[in-house]
Amino acid sequence: MTRPADTPDSAQDGAPDGPPEARSAAPSGARPGVRPAPWVRTRLRSAPSSALLAAALAFVAVLLAAALPRALDRGADQALRSFLADRGPAATSLLATSTARYGKQSPENLDSVRDALLARTGDGFAIAPSGTVHGTQAAKARSLANPELPHPDGVQPRLDLLYLREAAAHAELVDGRWPSGGAPDGRVPVALSQQVAQTLGVRVGTVLETVANSSDPMSAEVVGLYRATDEADVFWTGLPCLTRACESYTPTVPPQRFWQTAALVGSDGLDRLGPWGEGAEDFWRLPVDTGRLRADLLPGVAREVAAYVGGPTASALRSTTQRSDLRITSRLPDLFKQAEARQQAVAPLAAIGPAGVAGVAAVVFCLAAALTGDRRESELRLLLARGGSPRGIVGRLLGEGAVTVLPASAAATVLALWLLATPRWTAALLAAASVTLLALLAFPVRAAVLLSARRRGPAPRRRLVAELLVVAATAAAVFEVRRRGVAPAGDGLDPLLVAAPLLLALCGGLVLARLQPVLVGALARAAGRRPGLVGFLGLARAARGTGGRARPSVLPLIALLLAVTTGGFGATVLDSVDTGRLRVARLAVGGDVQIAAPYGDALPPAMAEATAALPGVRTSVGVWTDDRAFVFGTVQGSTQVTVVVAEPVAYAQLARTVGRGQFDPALLSGKGGDGSTEAPVPALFSSDLAKLAASGTYRLSLGAGGELQIGSVGVVEGTPAKPGAGGAVVVLPAGPTTALLPRTGHPDRWLATGEVDGDRLREAVRATAPAGTAGQFTVRTSAATAAELGSDPLQRSAVRLFWASVAGAAGFALLAVLLTLVRAAPERAALLARLRTMGLRPRDGIRLILTEALPQALAATLGGALVAAAAVALLGPAMDLSALVGSTVPTGLGLTAPPVLTQALGLAFLVTVAVLAEAAISGRRQITTELRAGDQR
């Protein structure tokens, strides 16, 4: 017969069965032949709330630990695939080319080469389901001599010929037939896109004559018209002007427009492509399936692609296909390097938040172990005194913890693997196992320390040495980061950058642990000299530790400091990213808003007036621009420039706000343009132009005609009206310039700053645009541009991970505070019960609890804000935020108060609410229990 497991004797003594040393610890009054209750069952029944808390803590911590690598993997894979998908199928394809074989060309030969190319694709990368695109293309396009064809700027249209395998499967025939066979008089039968035919004004049966050049003249007969089933189909990507005519420009100055078109020939016309283009080229485009690529396997895939492009695989393909001139090119190797560099650049910044959560969680586990050890120290020493060995007791504690920790950890791991599905699970299992081990060993290790023989020696000296070691490690980490900066792209995660904020927070916690008892003790003495007992008692208890300690525990301070420091530092990083992104967007737009007219046209005056009257517009200016002007008289003789004509005062204010091209508007107020071309108009030269031109008078020739005499009166760094800081720019005042050239008084761009609603702006443009031209005006806003910069999945993943880490760190920090309150609750309840018998009111008890608990929490949040500011000041100059911004920005991190204060005040508010809730919920119950115990006594 077994004694019930929940009897007071078994629950109190926890008598183990099994080893001799454990049996010797059994109660002396136990009856012979009666088997003691099992240890684990006894302990779980005697303290079910502690067991549930340990299981819940292990479950949450393991869930976060196992989910973090999975989330990182998913974010990295999505970012890689999105980065490659944004580059388009042409950039993510393998392109093989070879000189066409005259007289031996056939579709079957093209197919055999395609099959050989597909056979050597590696296991790491596969071809997209859309399949390969292959055929033959004439080397050059021919100009068409038909006089009835459109001739923009007097230039004849040009026609290219291609043979495209399986084109009929991606298009439908609208009129006529697909080209096949020959044609009379040696004409090449071709099929044109319906859109191309409409642009050129041709139909089935039209004969397209070519201009005579070095080769014999040829002609093409349109035998069919087709329409692409889906113009967005990757099949048509990279093929020159097959679905619609392309507007192109000649390389002359000024450029002249012409129509560039292409037509399809049948398999019978393969041998005609060489004479048409003075040579022909076979091509095979193999689109890589970017949706199957994984970030962790990217280095191996990069090696396979490199071998395919210019390594042993390429050599083997030349031999297999018997084409010695087979050339394989791709942008994928460069794109892989860019993607890997972006991932490595974001990695240190993305790891700061998870590192903070890990640090706070580790502190919470240590705190829970310390508090449990304090609560059960007398029980453990009793077992040791009754014959139990330290090894046996620690082993039983391990078994006790395994019953609660291991099932919770296993459930959390399975849940994380199920919720975040990725092909990789090793890192998640290792992280989960590490946290499980910490949760399992924290209390047994603490118990082993308590049961071991006390070491002789001055404990304060050992503590001082440990603190000095932490300070030295922190100083070394900060110095190294400041000296060399963040690890360059390609070196992977920078451990110093991740560890430095945590070490700073740890140092702050140690310093605060030294200062808090002194400061709070001084406040207690000051409160003792004033009437009232609550303030003195609360501050006196806050200045010392519970359970007979001389000072409060340092672990809650470190947990709060870690949470506030990592949160404030990371929030400052994200705030700087938003600021940098908005600055880049403003520079790209030329302000917060830009409206541009079609090239050669002007903005209607009503449009500028209506948009300037919109709510939120602070500064607006209309500018006239010319990108094809020339300045004569420079060192080079003539220099092509961009001319900007604007009202000086409004334009100077805009340039100041945007941060590009600032100048004193008084420089352009000089007299000029009095009606004679001899009086020079004052002009501002960009720094690039100023290097080629000294001060003096120059002749400015505009691209659309007209000349001015201008004189340099200053230098500016670029202009808001043109993206990019480089280039030659000339800024002219509107008044004198318009007097000489009236057309410059009609702005073609409108720039403004302010918080303008984009929808209302576009509505105003549509309402004031001439009939049928609303779609020709380009509207850009800095908000939309900044949102586009921030749409990168790599950046979004890093931001989501950081805020999730902030929430996790805050939750663990609150748990640390609650654990501290729970540990002090019995002693505090006894004190309050005694004070209640002496007339203490209930609300005075709440005030006492707040006065005792809040000083440490509020001091920790304030100290965390100061440490976060110190981390920004010390580590900020070494941080490059370009990868998170989405564009190149200057290195450095600016210190701003709102992000740090938001994190500190937010956590202080949560801590205050937690303390109030604990006092309201458990305080009265504990006091009542204590009073009843006193009545029974």
Side-chain angles (χ1 to χ4, degrees):
M1 180 176 180
T2 304
R3 183 171 47 183
D6 55 351
T7 56
D9 293 339
S10 63
Q12 180 177 354
D13 296 343
D17 57 345
E21 63 270 16
R23 288 197 301 267
S24 64
S28 58
R31 292 175 296 173
V34 177
R35 182 181 178 184
W39 169 281
V40 174
R41 188 178 67 187
T42 301
R43 288 306 311 166
L44 294 180
R45 288 188 175 184
S46 63
S49 59
S50 299
L52 290 176
L53 178 60
L57 181 59
F59 179 85
V60 173
V62 173
L63 179 64
L64 293 178
L68 176 61
R70 310 277 285 184
L72 289 175
D73 289 341
R74 286 163 61 95
D77 290 345
Q78 291 174 2
L80 171 63
R81 294 163 186 170
S82 176
F83 173 75
L84 296 177
D86 291 342
R87 297 320 181 260
T92 57
S93 298
L94 302 169
L95 179 62
T97 58
S98 175
T99 304
R101 298 183 171 187
Y102 302 119
K104 301 180 181 180
Q105 195 77 331
S106 67
E108 292 74 17
N109 182 265
L110 295 174
D111 293 344
S112 65
V113 176
R114 176 203 59 188
D115 296 339
L117 292 171
L118 291 175
R120 297 305 297 264
T121 54
D123 297 334
F125 69 96
I127 302 305
S130 58
T132 61
V133 181
H134 62 291
T136 305
Q137 179 179 2
K140 297 180 181 179
R142 286 202 174 206
S143 298
L144 301 179
N146 300 58
E148 71 274 11
L149 300 180
H151 295 68
D153 295 341
V155 180
Q156 299 158 327
R158 296 179 184 176
L159 179 66
D160 197 4
L161 293 186
L162 293 92
Y163 169 72
L164 198 57
R165 195 78 165 127
E166 301 177 356
H170 299 269
E172 56 181 353
L173 199 62
V174 177
D175 191 11
R177 61 181 176 85
W178 289 108
S180 62
D185 302 329
R187 295 192 294 267
V188 182
V190 300
L192 278 178
S193 167
Q194 185 180 34
Q195 289 87 344
V196 172
Q198 293 173 354
T199 302
L200 297 183
V202 301
R203 61 182 183 273
V204 174
T206 301
V207 177
L208 302 174
E209 303 290 344
T210 63
V211 177
N213 50 21
S214 59
S215 61
D216 296 333
M218 299 181 67
S219 60
E221 181 182 358
V222 180
V223 299
L225 301 179
Y226 65 88
R227 179 174 60 243
T229 306
D230 181 10
E231 292 189 24
D233 189 352
V234 296
F235 180 85
W236 304 104
T237 301
L239 299 176
C241 309
L242 274 175
T243 58
R244 58 182 65 245
C246 305
E247 190 177 57
S248 301
Y249 292 86
T250 63
T252 59
V253 179
Q256 295 176 308
R257 291 186 303 160
F258 67 93
W259 290 112
Q260 178 77 34
T261 61
L264 294 176
V265 302
S267 58
D268 298 331
L270 279 170
D271 291 336
R272 309 296 300 276
L273 297 179
W276 180 278
E278 300 180 9
E281 187 177 61
D282 298 334
F283 66 91
W284 299 264
R285 194 184 75 215
L286 284 68
V288 174
D289 189 0
T290 58
R292 296 178 54 183
L293 295 179
R294 289 166 43 182
D296 63 317
L297 301 180
L298 191 58
V301 176
R303 287 191 295 270
E304 290 188 21
V305 172
Y308 199 99
V309 171
T313 306
S315 301
L317 285 172
R318 295 189 189 99
S319 175
T320 303
T321 60
Q322 297 181 356
R323 289 179 179 248
S324 58
D325 63 340
L326 184 68
R327 300 172 298 276
I328 304 176
T329 59
S330 178
R331 289 185 55 196
L332 279 174
D334 293 335
L335 293 178
F336 287 162
K337 291 179 182 178
Q338 295 176 23
E340 193 170 1
R342 293 170 71 250
Q343 184 66 37
Q344 291 171 345
V346 172
L349 305 178
I352 292 176
V357 176
V360 178
V363 171
V364 169
F365 276 115
C366 294
L367 178 62
L371 297 180
T372 306
D374 293 345
R375 180 171 58 86
R376 298 180 59 180
E377 183 176 5
S378 58
E379 170 196 343
L380 298 177
R381 292 195 179 281
L382 176 61
L383 290 175
L384 185 65
R386 300 183 67 179
S389 69
R391 179 181 300 179
I393 296 174
V394 170
R396 291 306 178 93
L397 294 179
L398 279 173
E400 176 186 334
V403 173
T404 57
V405 170
L406 294 183
S409 300
T413 304
V414 172
L415 182 61
L417 296 178
W418 177 68
L419 291 177
L420 300 173
T422 62
R424 302 178 290 282
W425 49 268
T426 305
L429 292 184
L430 289 177
S434 301
V435 176
T436 301
L437 196 62
L438 176 62
L440 188 61
L441 296 180
F443 176 55
V445 170
R446 175 62 177 170
V449 173
L450 291 176
L451 296 177
S452 62
R454 295 187 177 273
R455 299 174 57 183
R456 295 183 179 181
R461 181 177 299 176
R462 293 197 302 270
R463 177 182 176 182
L464 180 60
V465 171
E467 292 174 349
L468 291 177
L469 288 177
V470 172
V471 172
T474 304
V478 173
F479 174 78
E480 186 65 15
V481 171
R482 290 292 299 268
R483 184 186 65 82
R484 63 162 174 80
V486 180
D491 289 352
L493 186 66
D494 189 346
L496 282 180
L497 181 63
V498 177
L502 303 183
L503 289 174
L504 286 171
L506 182 58
C507 285
L510 296 177
V511 172
L512 192 59
R514 292 279 186 178
L515 294 179
Q516 182 198 346
V518 178
L519 297 178
V520 177
L523 291 176
R525 289 190 294 273
R529 292 191 290 269
R530 303 186 60 183
L533 185 64
V534 173
F536 169 73
L537 284 178
L539 292 175
R541 288 177 55 82
R544 62 177 178 84
T546 58
R549 288 193 182 93
R551 59 176 62 88
S553 174
V554 71
L555 292 177
L557 280 173
I558 293 177
L560 290 171
L561 275 167
L562 283 174
V564 177
T565 300
T566 54
F569 184 77
T572 303
V573 170
L574 296 184
D575 183 74
S576 298
V577 167
D578 292 338
T579 302
R581 194 175 288 152
L582 181 58
R583 173 174 171 77
V584 170
R586 273 186 165 181
L587 293 177
V589 174
D592 292 318
V593 173
Q594 181 189 116
I595 303 175
Y599 179 79
D601 293 339
L603 295 174
M607 183 179 295
E609 294 175 1
T611 51
L614 289 176
V617 175
R618 292 195 300 267
T619 302
S620 64
V621 59
V623 298
W624 183 87
T625 61
D626 187 354
D627 295 330
R628 302 177 183 176
F630 285 85
V631 171
F632 294 91
T634 62
V635 175
Q636 299 175 341
S638 64
T639 303
Q640 186 173 359
V641 299
T642 297
V643 176
V644 178
V645 179
E647 197 281 318
V649 176
Y651 178 78
Q653 186 176 355
L654 174 74
R656 246 189 337 268
T657 304
V658 174
R660 175 183 290 163
Q662 301 95 317
F663 68 97
D664 184 1
L667 295 174
L668 296 180
S669 62
K671 301 298 182 180
D674 57 357
S676 66
T677 57
E678 298 179 357
V681 176
L684 298 173
F685 286 5
S686 65
S687 56
D688 292 342
L689 180 60
K691 297 176 182 177
L692 305 175
S695 58
T697 302
Y698 300 89
R699 181 166 60 92
L700 175 65
S701 177
L702 301 180
E707 292 186 353
L708 286 174
Q709 293 294 326
I710 60 175
S712 175
V713 296
V715 178
V716 293
E717 296 296 333
T719 172
K722 181 180 179 181
V729 177
V730 175
V731 181
L732 301 175
T737 307
T738 304
L740 295 173
L741 297 173
R743 68 173 178 275
T744 62
H746 303 286
D748 59 0
R749 297 187 187 186
W750 182 80
L751 306 173
T753 60
E755 297 180 0
V756 184
D757 184 76
D759 294 335
R760 299 187 64 176
L761 177 66
R762 293 180 180 86
E763 180 61 30
V765 170
R766 286 192 294 267
T768 55
T773 64
Q776 300 178 7
F777 293 90
T778 303
V779 178
R780 299 180 63 191
T781 63
S782 61
T785 305
E788 183 179 354
L789 289 173
S791 63
D792 187 356
L794 186 66
Q795 303 169 11
R796 294 201 304 268
S797 175
V799 172
R800 287 196 302 266
L801 181 63
F802 167 75
W803 287 118
S805 301
V806 168
F812 279 114
L814 286 178
L815 183 59
V817 174
L818 291 176
L819 287 175
T820 306
L821 291 175
V822 170
R823 174 64 186 93
E827 182 182 349
R828 184 177 61 244
L831 174 64
L832 291 176
R834 297 187 186 98
L835 294 177
R836 285 284 298 275
T837 61
M838 299 170 63
L840 183 71
R841 293 175 298 180
R843 63 179 180 181
D844 290 333
I846 300 296
R847 287 174 51 199
L848 178 62
I849 296 175
L850 294 178
T851 308
E852 175 188 346
L854 287 183
Q856 185 182 38
L858 297 181
T861 54
L862 177 60
L866 295 177
V867 174
V872 173
L874 293 174
L875 305 176
M879 300 188 66
D880 185 2
L881 303 179
S882 299
L884 285 176
V885 172
S887 180
T888 302
V889 294
T891 301
L893 183 64
L895 176 60
T896 52
V900 177
L901 291 180
T902 300
Q903 298 297 314
L905 296 179
L907 189 57
F909 173 76
L910 292 178
V911 169
T912 303
V913 172
V915 172
L916 285 172
E918 196 276 339
I921 295 174
S922 62
R924 179 172 299 180
R925 182 185 307 168
Q926 292 170 348
I927 294 173
T928 304
T929 302
E930 188 71 22
L931 286 173
R932 288 176 179 174
D935 292 341
Q936 293 172 1
R937 288 193 293 267

